[in-house]
Amino acid sequence: MKHKILLLGMGFWGRRWLELILKSEQCHLAGAAGSEDEMQEICADYGINPVITFTDFRKSIVQTDADIAVVVLPGVLHFEADRLALEKGMNLITEKPLAMDMEEAMELLRLKAQYPARRFMTSQNYRWRPHNQAIKRAIDHGMIGRMESILLEFRQQEDLQGYRAGLEMPLLQDVSIHHFDLIRFFTGADCKEAYCRVSRPSWSLYEGKPDTYAVFQMTNGVTVTYSGSWAARGKETSWDGNFTITGDKGCLTLDADGAVYFYKHERAEVVVLNTGRQQGEEILQPEMKNTEMEYGFHMFLDSLEQGDVPETSLEDNVKSFAMVMACLESAKQGMVVDCSELLRQYAR
């Protein structure tokens, strides 16, 4: 049986999802919603039947016989689209942001609990890149021993497309969710406490504050130091950021070229003032048939057919989202925020 998919949103990422859906042998496109110009374009570019296109996403949910909705609408519409699709009986894949605030996120959890058989996944596609899979495997196999700290640096110049230019804290409100989700992925733990500061370099093209500095205490005792700039000048990192993950046996690093290295700890018997460049052992990365969005998409389809829960389910991803919300509150209030308490507070 082929799954029938309703695609909501036809911007840059919506087009990417459309291409995945059209080439999949496990599903077919039952409907698509976007602006009038976007609908005309996809009909012309991809041969889509105009009969299954809509310019009102609400009507598309009511009128389309689909078992899966993929939500790639602007963030402010995610909650309404998710709610309507769940109530219609659809399973859900949603792009970030999961919600606009904790109230919406927790309301989605309460709504989803009414439909326990439905699958609801957030697409956190950074997890499903070969280098991040290699890091996770090395950690799980005990390569660095007992993990105790993570240092994560992110540096990219501004991207003012779409809504980003008007954000109060652009990096924190848009990209950081990917980094925070990777932190949870690598540590296998949730955030216990968060302390965050934001700032705006004098040269920044954003009106808001694109530089973000945070310290996280994870529930398993790992301390994470996060330094991010979306107004970087000069040297840049990849979108994943540069990681240094340290345990008692050594550390793993991820660099801007996507290479993963292991540096074994060897105790120095004497103090060395002029250390040479250390040579790390490059870690072999797995060959993956599918990566990023495509990996997540097929994992979701498989979860429906096999009765599994997708890796980045709503129930899991809300914990990564809570890290963002804790940082926003910390930056505004100038205080340490208890992530666990934040979740409990909004769950009441």
Side-chain angles (χ1 to χ4, degrees):
M1 181 191 75
K2 283 195 172 185
H3 296 283
K4 294 174 287 186
I5 298 188
L6 171 62
L7 178 59
L8 306 177
M10 205 57 64
F12 174 82
W13 291 108
R15 290 287 189 107
R16 291 279 306 276
W17 276 105
L18 177 63
E19 291 168 1
L20 282 181
I21 293 165
L22 292 178
K23 74 178 184 180
S24 172
E25 296 180 354
Q26 293 177 264
C27 61
H28 76 268
L29 185 71
S35 70
E36 185 173 349
D37 288 344
E38 289 169 342
M39 293 299 95
Q40 291 176 356
E41 287 176 7
I42 69 162
C43 288
D45 294 346
Y46 297 94
I48 305 299
N49 187 340
V51 172
I52 66 168
T53 65
F54 299 83
T55 56
D56 184 333
F57 77 88
R58 301 168 186 86
K59 287 184 179 179
S60 74
I61 294 172
V62 171
Q63 298 179 19
T64 301
D65 179 23
D67 60 307
I68 300 172
V70 179
V71 179
V72 204
L73 294 163
V76 293
L77 300 175
H78 281 198
F79 175 79
E80 183 181 6
D82 292 344
R83 177 179 60 80
L84 292 173
L86 278 172
E87 292 173 348
K88 179 69 186 299
M90 298 178 188
N91 299 287
L92 272 163
I93 301 174
T94 185
E95 276 288 354
K96 68 170 183 67
L98 173 64
M100 298 307 294
D101 51 41
M102 282 303 299
E103 288 93 340
E104 286 188 353
M106 300 310 288
E107 184 59 31
L108 284 175
L109 274 178
R110 285 187 282 269
L111 181 61
K112 168 63 174 61
Q114 299 176 30
Y115 308 99
R118 308 266 166 81
R119 298 292 182 263
F120 189 144
M121 183 187 86
T122 302
S123 178
Q124 290 289 175
N125 54 293
Y126 283 26
R127 290 190 182 205
W128 306 313
R129 293 172 170 172
H131 47 264
N132 292 327
Q133 290 290 313
I135 290 172
K136 178 62 172 172
R137 291 183 186 185
I139 292 169
D140 290 347
H141 290 163
M143 183 171 283
I144 63 171
R146 185 183 65 255
M147 185 196 310
E148 292 196 5
S149 70
I150 293 180
L151 175 63
L152 170 52
E153 180 187 31
F154 172 79
R155 292 174 55 84
Q156 282 282 332
Q157 60 183 289
E158 300 92 328
D159 181 351
L160 303 177
Q161 296 180 74
Y163 59 88
R164 299 182 180 97
L167 294 175
E168 182 182 0
M169 305 176 196
L171 175 59
L172 190 52
Q173 292 172 281
D174 190 60
V175 178
S176 291
I177 181 63
H178 288 300
H179 303 142
F180 297 173
D181 188 70
L182 280 179
I183 289 167
R184 289 187 58 244
F185 179 54
F186 292 150
T187 61
D190 299 324
C191 180
K192 181 181 179 182
E193 293 180 343
Y195 180 73
C196 183
R197 282 287 179 268
V198 293
S199 62
R200 179 186 181 277
S202 61
W203 57 77
S204 175
L205 301 179
Y206 289 112
E207 292 184 8
K209 298 177 179 180
D211 285 10
T212 303
Y213 312 93
V215 178
F216 301 107
Q217 193 69 33
M218 308 302 288
T219 52
N220 62 353
V222 174
T223 299
V224 181
T225 304
Y226 178 72
S227 175
S229 176
W230 209 358
R233 295 296 180 264
K235 188 176 182 181
E236 297 181 348
T237 67
S238 71
W239 286 96
D240 301 73
N242 291 345
F243 275 85
T244 301
I245 305 171
T246 305
D248 61 305
K249 294 182 180 179
C251 69
L252 290 162
T253 65
L254 173 66
D255 64 23
D257 297 320
V260 181
Y261 289 91
F262 170 60
Y263 293 85
K264 183 178 180 181
H265 172 63
E266 295 180 349
R267 184 174 179 82
E269 296 300 327
V270 296
V271 175
V272 180
L273 298 180
N274 297 311
T275 58
R277 180 179 178 182
Q278 292 176 277
Q279 297 297 315
E281 171 193 348
E282 187 166 6
I283 302 301
L284 184 66
Q285 299 184 21
E287 293 185 9
M288 300 176 66
K289 179 182 177 181
N290 299 310
T291 62
E292 303 193 33
M293 289 169 55
E294 192 165 4
Y295 182 101
F297 181 47
H298 286 284
M299 177 181 66
F300 185 79
L301 295 177
D302 290 344
S303 76
L304 292 177
E305 295 170 7
Q306 299 169 12
D308 298 329
V309 176
E311 184 178 330
T312 55
S313 65
L314 168 64
E315 292 83 357
D316 177 82
N317 192 249
V318 73
K319 298 172 185 177
S320 297
F321 182 74
M323 293 175 72
V324 176
M325 295 296 103
C327 282
L328 286 169
E329 183 173 332
S330 177
K332 292 175 180 178
Q333 302 296 329
M335 57 186 286
V336 173
V337 173
D338 185 323
C339 257
S340 302
E341 178 57 32
L342 187 68
L343 285 166
R344 286 193 294 268
Q345 173 188 339
Y346 285 97
R348 294 168 187 157

